[in-house]
Amino acid sequence: MPKSSEKKKQANQNHNQWRRLRATGCRLLLAAATFFVSCQRQAIVQKAPPADRRLPYNFVGQNGLVVAANPLAAEAGLGMLKSGSNAVDAAVATAFALNAAEPFASGIGGGGFMVIYLARSQKATVIDYREKAPLGASPTMFREKGEEEGMWRTSTGLAVAVPGALAGWDLALREYGTVSLARAAARAIEIAEQGYAVSQTFSSINKDEYERLAANLGEGSCYLNGGLPYEPGDVFRNSDLARTFRLIAAKGIEEFYRGDIARRIVAAVQAHRGIMTLEDLADYKPEEVAALRGTYKNHTLVTAPPPASGGLHLIQLLNIAENWPVKGWGHNSPKTIHHLSEALRFIFADRERYIGDPAFVSVPVNRLLSKEYAAAIASRIMPDRPLDSYPYGEFDESAPTQGNTTHLCVIDREGNVVSLTQSINDFFGTGIVPEGTGFLLNNQMADFSSDPESVNAPAPGHRPVSSMAPLIMFKDGKPLLVLGSPGGTRIFSSLAQIVLNVTEFSMSLDEAIEAPRFFSYSAAGKPRPISVESRLPEATISELQKIGHEVTVREAYDKYFGGAQGIMVLQGKRIFLGGADSRRDGWGAGY
């Protein structure tokens, strides 16, 4: 049998399997809902997750729930909730624990965004702790490296932006938490010190990034196992990170931004040909900013504003989708995929033309989010073929394509909510670890445009554009869905598909997360292929090709499309359902 036929046969088998899993997942959800309606205030007995992680399964809580990209991190957050602490405390504890348990995706060497909702005051706010360019940065700093630009942007000290995570967590705790930074770090210290068995996900990513790690890590680094990548089941420990966390717990974040840790960071960056200085670290400040708001039909969307472009583009995409009968077209039908892919191509043109650090450039947020603008885009999309070109901008095809970053969601017994996305950019960041500290430094400078004339060109103190989109979705003024994902430029596309799966196709939360995904974009105004997971039916792929799309078929559950985590709030029943993406090591923990 030809290889193409084998691939199509496998795709059909994968799709049929997913349909069976979907049906089983619905039965599980119905059974769980029936149980909880009949005994709402009794103690929750959570059934064990199925052995097949692909099977849709919703974690359950009544008093609180944490969903994160690693079981140890989710349990760390749950422990904080059970102790009487609030959602912000639990989110920071989970974020600390992710640095120990999922160190390749985030940590104190990076940054991110935290969306907070306070139930009593009905206030939504955002903590922006995105990294910033050093004061020595310039628009041509990478372009002048010529053929080696890609390496300089990802694997050297020049790629390191000033980290913001620790300052952001500290600000969130001071303003909205109830515990100290030391208390929030306690479980992460135990995880780093005691160690854990490496998962298949950790191992495969460790092998993918081996060359960068081998080039930048010293002998004996814990991020390689005797100089080699970790195998599944090997024990990973990070005693240096535990000591770093203890030092920060004792002396506060000043130790990181002005003390001995700061000196170690600068020494490591400069030893790898970077430009960061002690002044850069001392000057870093996170910001509390107003949340970005939009709507999809009768739902309100609250997310992080630019430079977190993902939330803006998520709202844009849903605004455009409002103009079409998506439900009638069907889930992942050729017509649905065609129209949404065309919309994505317009959005990527806008991204390159308009989006930069709003502290330095004017971003036309209101225009981009207007329903009229969305309708204008929708009217230009042809129903039976892709367009030849898309106005504005150019998408940087050299940008990383990995499913990096991490996301966590928390809700507490008072109904306070946190949706938090953070990253060190590429998996394992630059691969640079300041001596004796145990944490990886980011390569977020790669998120700046390679075009010196771009609104997102590197410049002193600028924050690079991010695709992160931590989201809280409300219905009738109350939280309904808490959602986010890693995945680089696929983040907002994946989240929009999950939102549509829930609102238009009546899927349970984890069913919506596990459903097959697709993605497309435009480059230099021209359409790029539609990437799809192989579970899509052969007939769907053929129809897309027939109307003129190039289609790239990826793995059945491909981390290229991220690893979403979510919480659904069933207000009338006082039940929280958690969905955790099997594309990574997602997990939930509730009580």
Side-chain angles (χ1 to χ4, degrees):
M1 181 181 293
K3 289 185 177 180
S4 59
S5 298
E6 290 178 358
K7 197 167 192 179
K8 290 178 179 179
K9 181 179 179 182
Q10 182 62 47
N12 282 333
Q13 291 173 343
N14 288 333
H15 179 69
N16 290 334
Q17 181 187 36
W18 178 78
R19 291 181 64 185
R20 290 193 296 272
L21 294 181
R22 172 179 171 175
T24 306
C26 288
R27 290 194 295 272
L28 284 174
L29 179 62
L30 181 61
T34 301
F35 173 81
F36 287 113
V37 168
S38 64
C39 41
Q40 276 189 22
R41 302 312 300 170
Q42 294 183 13
I44 287 176
V45 179
Q46 173 81 63
K47 290 185 178 181
D52 184 353
R53 292 194 64 241
R54 309 302 192 192
L55 184 67
Y57 172 86
N58 291 281
F59 296 89
V60 184
Q62 271 184 304
N63 298 298
L65 183 66
V66 182
V67 186
N70 183 276
L72 291 171
E75 292 291 345
L78 178 63
M80 191 65 76
L81 291 180
K82 284 184 171 181
S83 73
S85 300
N86 69 17
V88 174
D89 303 325
V92 175
T94 306
F96 261 118
L98 283 167
N99 194 161
E102 194 200 32
F104 50 81
S106 72
I108 60 175
F113 301 88
M114 185 187 310
V115 181
I116 300 170
Y117 172 72
L118 304 173
R120 183 169 298 178
S121 61
Q122 297 186 324
K123 173 185 176 179
T125 190
V126 175
I127 305 295
D128 174 353
Y129 53 98
R130 178 66 162 159
E131 302 88 339
K132 293 185 177 182
L135 295 175
S138 70
T140 60
M141 61 186 290
F142 293 117
R143 175 66 64 87
E144 64 191 20
K145 300 300 182 182
E147 293 182 0
E148 294 186 340
E149 178 181 345
M151 181 270 292
W152 282 90
R153 291 169 69 91
T154 60
S155 306
T156 71
L158 201 62
V160 183
V162 182
L166 196 59
W169 302 345
D170 181 67
L171 175 60
L173 286 178
R174 286 187 286 107
E175 293 296 324
Y176 302 108
T178 68
V179 302
S180 67
L181 198 70
R183 173 72 181 89
R187 178 58 182 138
I189 293 171
E190 294 176 352
I191 294 169
E193 207 157 51
Q194 295 170 4
Y196 51 87
V198 165
S199 68
Q200 178 62 48
T201 300
F202 189 130
S203 175
S204 65
I205 293 171
N206 201 220
K207 291 172 182 175
D208 289 344
E209 302 301 329
Y210 174 72
E211 290 186 11
R212 180 185 307 167
L213 294 173
N216 284 336
L217 293 175
E219 292 184 11
S221 170
C222 68
Y223 289 106
L224 292 174
N225 191 8
L228 297 173
Y230 281 88
E231 296 293 339
D234 289 344
V235 175
F236 176 84
R237 294 186 179 87
N238 194 340
S239 57
D240 283 347
L241 183 64
R243 282 193 294 271
T244 295
F245 284 169
R246 283 199 176 91
L247 188 60
I248 292 167
K251 296 188 176 183
I253 68 168
E254 289 296 301
E255 183 65 18
F256 184 92
Y257 288 99
R258 291 180 172 84
D260 182 60
I261 297 174
R263 290 185 285 273
R264 290 171 183 253
I265 292 171
V266 170
V269 168
Q270 294 186 358
H272 288 83
R273 299 173 287 180
I275 57 175
M276 189 183 298
T277 66
L278 288 171
E279 181 184 3
D280 291 318
L281 281 163
D283 284 349
Y284 184 86
K285 295 290 187 297
E287 299 178 5
E288 182 174 0
V289 297
L292 187 69
R293 293 174 178 269
T295 62
Y296 178 67
K297 296 186 176 179
N298 60 339
H299 299 89
T300 298
L301 308 169
V302 175
T303 184
S309 70
L312 186 153
H313 297 322
L314 167 64
I315 297 171
Q316 270 191 288
L317 184 55
L318 291 173
N319 280 347
I320 297 169
E322 274 190 346
N323 292 274
W324 300 319
V326 174
K327 183 175 182 178
W329 288 344
H331 177 251
N332 279 351
S333 68
K335 186 169 284 191
T336 298
I337 295 173
H338 163 70
H339 282 77
L340 291 176
S341 294
E342 287 287 278
L344 283 167
R345 291 160 179 169
F346 276 101
I347 289 170
F348 271 97
D350 284 343
R351 173 188 171 89
E352 280 302 304
R353 181 173 177 85
Y354 296 121
I355 311 301
D357 186 342
F360 299 94
V361 302
S362 178
V363 181
V365 171
N366 291 336
R367 175 173 177 265
L368 294 174
L369 293 186
S370 73
K371 301 292 187 180
E372 294 76 15
Y373 184 61
I377 291 176
S379 70
R380 300 180 66 172
I381 292 171
M382 304 297 292
D384 55 355
R385 64 175 177 84
L387 298 176
D388 294 326
S389 63
Y390 306 82
Y392 304 143
E394 177 179 335
F395 178 60
D396 183 1
E397 293 186 82
S398 66
T401 58
Q402 304 178 79
N404 46 22
T405 309
T406 198
H407 182 81
L408 65 93
C409 307
V410 182
I411 188 166
D412 64 24
R413 66 186 307 151
E414 302 300 325
N416 302 309
V417 175
V418 174
S419 184
L420 184 160
T421 311
Q422 61 188 28
S423 181
I424 53 175
N425 206 21
D426 280 1
F427 284 131
F428 289 98
T430 53
I432 299 170
V433 176
E435 184 179 2
T437 65
F439 64 86
L440 290 149
L441 292 173
N442 70 82
N443 57 6
Q444 296 286 8
M445 294 295 288
D447 278 357
F448 284 113
S449 173
S450 60
D451 179 3
E453 301 300 318
S454 169
V455 293
N456 186 39
H462 284 223
R463 295 167 294 176
V465 170
S466 166
S467 296
M468 298 182 200
L471 174 70
I472 305 175
M473 189 170 82
F474 296 79
K475 186 175 183 180
D476 300 326
K478 297 179 179 180
L480 170 66
L481 190 64
V482 189
L483 193 63
S485 180
T489 50
R490 280 81 58 207
I491 288 175
F492 60 89
S493 171
S494 293
L495 297 183
Q497 290 170 62
I498 295 169
V499 168
L500 292 173
N501 289 346
V502 170
T503 60
E504 299 294 341
F505 302 112
S506 303
M507 294 186 190
S508 71
L509 177 56
D510 199 49
E511 181 187 7
I513 288 172
E514 297 294 341
R517 295 184 195 155
F518 61 89
F519 171 73
S520 190
Y521 62 97
S522 60
K526 299 298 181 182
R528 300 300 299 146
I530 300 176
S531 292
V532 302
E533 290 186 314
S534 63
R535 290 175 287 154
L536 283 185
E538 176 185 346
T540 298
I541 295 171
S542 296
E543 182 62 25
L544 291 169
Q545 292 170 330
K546 189 183 300 181
I547 65 173
H549 290 288
E550 182 182 346
V551 180
T552 300
V553 179
R554 305 185 70 94
E555 293 180 9
Y557 293 84
D558 201 311
K559 62 178 179 288
Y560 173 83
F561 296 98
Q565 321 297 342
I567 293 174
M568 181 179 286
V569 183
L570 306 184
Q571 292 285 353
K573 301 181 178 68
R574 180 68 186 189
I575 297 171
F576 311 136
L577 301 178
D581 205 325
S582 67
R583 292 171 181 85
R584 295 260 286 264
D585 293 332
W587 200 258
Y591 78 113

